[in-house]
Amino acid sequence: MAYSDKVIDHYENPRNVGTFGKEEDDVGTGLVGAPACGDVTRLQIKVKDGRIEDAKFKTFGCGSAIASSSLATEMIKGMTLDQAAEIKNTQIVEELNLPPVKIHCSVLAEDAIKAAIEDYKKKHQR
Amino acid sequence: MSLKLPLFMDNHSTTPVDPRVLETMIPFFTQQFGNAASRNHVFGWQAEAAVEHARTQVAALIGGDGKEIVWTSGATEANNLAIKGAASFYKKQGNHVITVETEHKSVLDTCKRLEREGYEVTYLRPQKDGIVTPEMVTAAMTDKTVLVSIMLANNEIGVVQDVNAIGAAIKAKNSKCLFHIDAVQGAGKVPFDVNASKADLVALSAHKMYGPKGVGALWVRRKPRVRIDPIIDGGGHERGMRSGTLAVPLIVGFGKAAELAKEEMGAEAIRLAALRDRLYRGLSKLPETYVNGTMDPAHRLPGNLNISFAFVEGESLLMALKDVAVSSGSACTSASLEPSYVLRALGTGDELAHSSIRFGIGRFNTEEEVDYVIDLVVKSVEKLRSLSPLWEMHQEGIDLNSIQWTPH
């Protein structure tokens, strides 16, 4: 299968790889997927005044899964939590030119954003 | 010597045609282009003579007689013909077939079709190391069993079955039960003899042994005579077992490829095993790597290494190895989105199946290439692990099985 240049770029130079302290108050962590399915993404957000100040990810998965989550961290930086929650996987599909068999990779990235936001909100409900 | 990229290390998928093979084929395209079935002129006679010579060359590789060779379009057809043909011919004697979960799809899907047509098929699960024991086979045999189909060597994990012991056990239990061997990956790579294995039917392919694509053969025992119903009807070629004009140039190439394999197998196996072991030593310097299938040299193809790099997904690793042709058992590389059924049958977890890479070292690979691959794989695995949340969790001592995952 041929990969789009954008997938290759994100795969070779992934943006925002890393880890925030999961326990920190301003961090939300989303861990989605399953090793048995061949892809797991952990996406983390650092929030200040309702805005995503920084984001980091790590992904176990194919090149398209890595590229999708790398792109997702770029997209959400600077967004409010509500804006980030609105991101649809189709935006990622379009941006990366993902073929139909790789759409699930973009879904994983969308789920990871939502899970991270939820985790952050849960921490701040108390 | 400089390395030429991209380099090919996927010799279980196919092999390049050996230049010595190609040379023998060329005249049969433009000069001796006759139809081997033409009985009344010299063009036909030349073609027929060439085809007959190739029969003896291919049969000699497996200890058979040239008269027992039936040419096919490839091994998929040969497996189809063996299994469907024998099951159909011996239908009155029984309707039970035995095979193994790790067989090639051309065997498994043929058996599935038989099931739809009313046959019963037992799919044996091999041991964790990929090996099928004679006892497993005989335990599954019933008085209705007409055919057992087991491969000589596996195309993914390179595991070589003890077909001699299996054949002896089958015949000891029921001398009338037929034994079909898919020898595609093993013939010309490891010693194999139709009589030592008590085989009745043997499938072969040219392009796995440095011959051309598009030609294979089914060896059909004559003494005692094994009968099969044809699956292609027509002019009655190949003693009625496979009609259709013979692909003379391809058959000539197959013959030469088999002859070279027979002559060179001994030395080549030693060289390939040394390269494979070098590759294994280099890659196993990485922690958390697991070989799939036995590493017992008596039970593994010399050029095969199938290895899982835990916490790294196979397709992403293939992407990093863009100048190296290898393959993966990861679902992402298959149309079905299921990880390798062969690794699953061995009880390899899906995680490790997704992380598997198959290296197939062949006649034209060099030590320099192996070293290049080691270096590239080690670097790539280290990079991808630095991106992997699973690797990080593993490093922190978190048991991945303790986590509530969200399969999607």
Side-chain angles (χ1 to χ4, degrees):
Chain A
M1 187 193 323
Y3 300 97
S4 73
D5 292 345
K6 282 181 181 163
V7 169
I8 292 171
D9 179 40
H10 275 279
Y11 170 79
E12 285 180 351
N13 311 292
R15 333 286 201 252
N16 307 311
V17 175
T19 311
F20 295 133
K22 213 162 73 180
E23 308 307 326
E24 281 165 36
D25 207 40
D26 57 347
V27 169
T29 300
L31 181 66
V32 295
C37 300
D39 38 28
V40 174
T41 286
R42 188 193 59 205
L43 189 144
Q44 293 182 298
I45 51 174
K46 193 171 244 179
V47 183
K48 195 178 179 185
D49 304 329
R51 218 169 253 287
I52 297 171
E53 192 180 42
D54 201 359
K56 293 227 180 284
F57 86 97
K58 281 197 177 186
T59 290
F60 161 83
C62 64
S64 302
I66 292 171
S68 294
S69 38
S70 167
L71 176 66
T73 58
E74 269 194 330
M75 287 167 84
I76 59 174
K77 267 206 219 177
M79 283 186 173
T80 65
L81 292 179
D82 289 344
Q83 286 168 333
E86 289 293 300
I87 287 176
K88 292 273 169 297
N89 78 295
T90 47
Q91 291 167 259
I92 294 168
V93 172
E94 255 172 56
E95 179 67 23
L96 294 176
N97 285 325
L98 295 180
V101 294
K102 295 297 183 188
I103 287 175
H104 68 278
C105 300
S106 67
V107 174
L108 194 74
E110 182 193 318
D111 290 351
I113 297 172
K114 294 204 159 75
I117 293 170
E118 204 166 305
D119 180 60
Y120 176 82
K121 285 186 171 164
K122 221 185 265 173
K123 273 188 187 171
H124 292 265
Q125 263 169 11
R126 286 157 276 157
Chain B
M1 200 173 77
S2 69
L3 202 68
K4 199 166 152 266
L5 297 175
L7 74 82
F8 188 76
M9 207 173 271
D10 195 20
N11 286 282
H12 302 307
S13 67
T14 192
T15 57
V17 172
D18 190 301
R20 296 168 290 179
V21 169
L22 180 62
E23 207 179 308
T24 63
M25 292 169 62
I26 288 172
F28 292 91
F29 284 104
T30 53
Q31 287 149 29
Q32 290 147 263
F33 55 82
N35 186 327
S38 294
R39 292 285 156 81
N40 44 12
H41 53 63
V42 68
F43 293 89
W45 302 331
Q46 283 173 336
E48 192 192 14
V51 165
E52 293 313 309
H53 181 55
R55 272 188 221 283
T56 59
Q57 288 171 310
V58 170
L61 175 64
I62 56 173
D65 187 301
K67 293 190 192 77
E68 296 170 312
I69 294 289
V70 174
W71 302 115
T72 65
S73 61
T76 289
E77 188 192 329
N79 279 327
N80 269 264
L81 177 57
I83 296 167
K84 290 176 184 167
S88 167
F89 192 90
Y90 294 97
K91 197 161 42 187
K92 285 198 187 107
Q93 289 179 25
N95 67 342
H96 182 229
V97 174
I98 298 172
T99 188
V100 184
E101 288 181 350
T102 48
E103 294 290 304
H104 190 262
K105 285 285 182 189
S106 61
V107 168
L108 294 176
D109 286 357
T110 299
C111 288
K112 295 237 165 68
R113 181 173 296 277
L114 289 182
E115 281 185 286
R116 290 197 292 275
E117 289 170 4
Y119 291 86
E120 278 178 36
V121 181
T122 300
Y123 301 90
L124 300 174
R125 171 155 289 205
Q127 297 174 170
K128 277 191 185 321
D129 59 5
I131 288 168
V132 177
T133 65
E135 295 73 30
M136 288 178 182
V137 179
T138 50
M141 285 171 70
T142 70
D143 54 3
K144 295 261 187 269
T145 309
V146 286
L147 178 69
V148 176
S149 180
I150 293 182
M151 68 201 329
L152 174 59
N154 185 273
N155 49 306
E156 286 192 32
I157 51 178
V159 169
V160 177
Q161 302 295 350
D162 187 352
V163 289
N164 294 356
I166 293 170
I170 293 169
K171 297 296 177 180
K173 181 146 181 182
N174 177 2
S175 61
K176 284 198 175 138
C177 178
L178 298 184
F179 186 24
H180 169 56
I181 299 177
D182 170 359
V184 169
Q185 295 287 345
K189 315 283 164 58
V190 292
F192 170 68
D193 183 275
V194 291
N195 293 318
S197 60
K198 297 188 159 48
D200 298 290
L201 299 152
V202 175
L204 300 167
S205 173
H207 78 102
K208 310 289 192 190
M209 54 171 92
Y210 312 94
K213 293 167 189 63
V215 64
L218 181 65
W219 174 88
V220 184
R221 179 176 290 282
R222 277 163 63 98
K223 284 175 195 164
R225 189 178 179 198
V226 171
R227 307 287 300 271
I228 51 173
D229 282 334
I231 54 176
I232 295 179
D233 295 305
H237 308 73
E238 301 299 277
R239 291 176 288 133
M241 286 187 267
R242 202 283 190 180
S243 289
T245 298
L246 295 177
V248 178
L250 304 184
I251 288 168
V252 167
F254 190 3
K256 183 67 181 177
E259 182 189 290
L260 292 173
K262 186 174 176 356
E263 281 169 15
E264 298 175 4
M265 181 166 64
E268 189 161 283
I270 293 168
R271 193 184 76 88
L272 293 183
L275 288 180
R276 189 267 317 276
D277 292 344
R278 184 182 183 93
L279 181 65
Y280 174 60
R281 280 195 304 275
L283 297 181
S284 57
K285 273 184 249 152
L286 284 162
E288 300 294 331
T289 60
Y290 304 93
V291 171
N292 298 304
T294 177
M295 270 302 265
D296 174 356
H299 282 282
R300 192 165 192 125
L301 288 178
N304 174 279
L305 183 65
N306 187 313
I307 189 165
S308 290
F309 303 97
F311 316 113
V312 171
E313 197 278 328
E315 189 195 333
S316 67
L317 183 52
L318 293 190
M319 208 169 154
L321 310 179
K322 57 180 183 236
D323 290 325
V324 179
V326 292
S327 69
S328 168
S330 156
C332 287
T333 59
S334 76
S336 65
L337 291 177
E338 293 277 313
S340 156
Y341 68 89
V342 172
L343 298 183
R344 279 187 155 184
L346 265 51
T348 308
D350 282 358
E351 296 95 306
L352 283 176
H354 281 293
S355 301
S356 71
I357 302 285
R358 177 186 72 178
F359 299 90
I361 301 173
R363 184 175 289 169
F364 301 105
N365 287 123
T366 64
E367 194 172 280
E368 191 189 12
E369 288 179 335
V370 168
D371 289 346
Y372 175 84
V373 169
I374 293 170
D375 195 46
L376 187 61
V377 172
V378 168
K379 270 191 213 142
S380 305
V381 168
E382 282 170 350
K383 181 190 164 187
L384 288 166
R385 280 180 174 168
S386 76
L387 290 184
S388 168
L390 305 181
W391 176 247
E392 185 184 301
M393 292 157 99
H394 173 73
Q395 298 288 89
E396 289 169 354
I398 298 169
D399 176 10
L400 295 179
N401 294 319
S402 71
I403 292 176
Q404 199 68 31
W405 298 104
T406 52
H408 57 111

